[in-house]
Amino acid sequence: MAAIIFIVILFFNIAIQAFLPKFLKESEVFGVYIPDTHVKDQRIIKMKKRYTTVVSMVGLVVLTLFIGYVLISSPPEQQIVFWGLAAQIGTVVLSMGLYAKNHIALANWKKEEKWTSGQVERKVVDLQFREQLKLLPSMYFVLPMLLTVSLGIYGLSQYDSLPDQIPTHWGANGEADAFTEKSWLSVSSLPFMTLVLQGMLWFFNRAMKQSGAKIQVRHKKRSREQQLAFRKYSSWLLFIVTITITLLMGYLQLSIIFPETMSTSVTMTATIAFLVIILGSVLFYAIKVGQSGTRLAVSHFDERMDGVIDPDDDQHWKFGLFYVNKNDPSILVEKRFGIGWTINMGHKTSWIFLLLIVGSIVLVTTLQ
């Protein structure tokens, strides 16, 4: 079963990484802002195609080798996990290496050929944008958190009847394969970490409302409609992830409280269902919505404006991946290379948020 899980995840990662340029805005290529005057540059089109071809071909070779290794050698689960992780890391390293090469080449072309020279940069501000957002209300995220708190309290109330060894990890076959001594911390660690994840997703949903809208100056109506839809779909994706995590972690918590009723087949089924829902939702999100809603059909089309471009904020994007702008009040910003959102590393709240997440994980792992 571990082999099947790793094969599915590896195939999913290869597909997303290979076709990622097709899901992004034409004006943001390999982390570099491209003005409208150059989005149809044949060099850029060939660069994106070459990236997709190389990642796809190498990824399929890696996937084929991994499947062949599993079928021919019938290795134990530990080796499947090791080589499965190695294959995942290898494909990521490959795609990021190609990204780095293309990012540097594009940045040099843009600088040497002065793509933005002679054009006026103009930022569009829509004061009514936030009022028309259709994000899910916070209650959708708070209720699962209350359920997790209730399960945590119930688990502590059953402390005396719990086994002396508390499971902390479950293998791909649904069996617990790591344990720790029973303590108040070990009993409550799973609900606590679930609560941390739920809180993170709730925070993202709220932060999206405060994030500045990237409305294109040459396509105001179209990009505005896409931005509204993009955030609505993003909110729903966060909610689906929240519910899925809550159900899986809740089941595992109940299996700790009632170990005699635990079924490895149910645990395995729950894990597979979790992966299918999460990966399926992300895939739908990427294909249907695309980054910034660029794949969504809209009803508005604008007349083009010559000599005017969107603000070139490359200086705030470190290597096209990390956004650092202390003058931007947005905590969350749309990714330039990838689907979804990233945090503004120039905002102090972002660092507080990261410290809380990392601190929570370190606290639980060190005290268990």
Side-chain angles (χ1 to χ4, degrees):
M1 186 53 65
I4 295 176
I5 292 176
F6 274 102
I7 289 170
V8 171
I9 295 176
L10 182 58
F11 178 81
F12 174 83
N13 284 338
I14 292 170
I16 288 292
Q17 291 169 25
F19 295 96
L20 188 56
K22 297 182 180 297
F23 303 143
L24 307 181
K25 291 192 290 188
E26 288 184 328
S27 59
E28 293 175 359
V29 182
F30 295 110
V32 178
Y33 165 67
I34 309 297
D36 277 3
T37 51
H38 288 75
V39 294
K40 301 300 181 182
D41 190 314
Q42 287 301 309
R43 293 173 299 174
I44 297 177
I45 294 174
K46 290 180 180 179
M47 178 182 283
K48 291 193 287 188
K49 288 182 178 179
R50 186 165 56 248
Y51 171 89
T52 298
T53 300
V54 172
V55 175
S56 298
M57 296 301 293
V58 176
L60 288 176
V61 170
V62 172
L63 181 61
T64 302
L65 290 174
F66 180 70
I67 294 175
Y69 165 71
V70 172
L71 293 177
I72 296 173
S73 303
S74 299
E77 184 175 315
Q78 293 84 349
Q79 291 186 19
I80 291 176
V81 172
F82 174 81
W83 288 110
L85 290 174
Q88 305 281 355
I89 294 172
T91 55
V92 170
V93 170
L94 167 68
S95 62
M96 292 310 299
L98 288 175
Y99 167 86
K101 177 177 178 293
N102 293 336
H103 174 83
I104 294 172
L106 267 178
N108 288 336
W109 292 347
K110 179 180 175 180
K111 181 179 179 181
E112 294 169 0
E113 299 172 12
K114 300 179 180 179
W115 289 357
T116 60
S117 178
Q119 306 209 61
V120 178
E121 297 183 18
R122 186 177 298 171
K123 183 176 182 178
V124 179
V125 178
D126 189 337
L127 300 179
Q128 297 181 334
F129 182 82
R130 291 178 182 173
E131 297 177 3
Q132 297 182 8
L133 280 173
K134 295 181 180 179
L135 304 181
L136 292 176
S138 294
M139 188 56 63
Y140 279 60
F141 298 85
V142 172
L143 288 176
M145 295 170 70
L146 294 177
L147 176 60
T148 298
V149 171
S150 300
L151 280 176
I153 294 174
Y154 181 69
L156 291 174
S157 71
Q158 303 296 310
Y159 184 83
D160 292 336
S161 62
L162 296 179
D164 293 333
Q165 295 290 319
I166 302 297
T168 58
H169 184 270
W170 288 261
N173 59 0
E175 294 183 2
D177 54 12
F179 298 85
T180 187
E181 293 290 334
K182 181 175 71 172
S183 67
W184 293 104
L185 179 63
S186 62
V187 173
S188 59
S189 60
L190 184 58
F192 176 72
M193 287 309 304
T194 305
L195 199 61
V196 170
L197 293 173
Q198 292 169 329
M200 179 179 67
L201 295 167
W202 166 78
F203 173 81
F204 285 164
N205 189 68
R206 285 184 57 87
M208 275 196 300
K209 188 172 184 178
Q210 306 302 322
S211 177
K214 299 182 70 174
I215 300 176
Q216 296 175 299
V217 65
R218 293 193 180 197
H219 314 283
K220 297 185 186 69
K221 294 181 180 179
R222 184 186 72 184
S223 60
R224 185 180 188 277
E225 187 175 341
Q226 289 174 331
Q227 281 278 309
L228 289 170
F230 173 62
R231 295 175 190 229
K232 181 183 72 173
Y233 277 101
S234 296
S235 183
W236 274 101
L237 178 62
L238 291 175
F239 176 66
I240 291 173
V241 174
T242 299
I243 294 299
T244 309
I245 288 176
T246 302
L247 292 175
L248 178 62
M249 297 301 188
Y251 166 77
L252 294 177
Q253 177 68 2
L254 289 174
S255 71
I256 293 175
I257 301 173
F258 305 108
E260 68 281 356
T261 62
M262 180 181 177
S263 168
T264 56
S265 60
V266 174
T267 303
M268 184 175 63
T269 302
T271 304
I272 294 174
F274 172 82
L275 289 174
V276 169
I277 293 173
I278 295 296
L279 297 181
S281 299
V282 172
L283 187 61
F284 172 84
Y285 181 77
I287 296 175
K288 169 70 176 180
V289 182
Q291 184 61 2
S292 302
T294 52
R295 295 182 62 85
L296 292 168
V298 296
S299 57
H300 294 108
F301 297 92
D302 301 289
E303 295 183 4
R304 290 187 173 275
M305 300 170 59
D306 294 329
V308 179
I309 61 173
D310 298 310
D312 183 356
D313 58 351
D314 280 359
Q315 71 274 15
H316 298 305
W317 285 93
K318 309 307 177 185
F319 212 59
L321 298 173
F322 306 101
Y323 184 72
V324 185
N325 185 0
K326 63 180 181 180
N327 296 319
D328 188 345
S330 301
I331 300 174
L332 279 187
V333 293
E334 300 169 25
K335 287 183 178 180
R336 275 199 167 184
F337 191 76
I339 303 295
W341 303 76
T342 187
I343 61 175
N344 176 9
M345 302 299 289
H347 199 295
K348 62 180 181 181
T349 304
S350 299
W351 286 101
I352 295 173
F353 172 74
L354 287 176
L355 288 174
L356 287 174
I357 296 296
V358 175
S360 299
I361 296 174
V362 171
L363 177 64
V364 172
T365 54
T366 55
L367 295 181
Q368 278 188 346

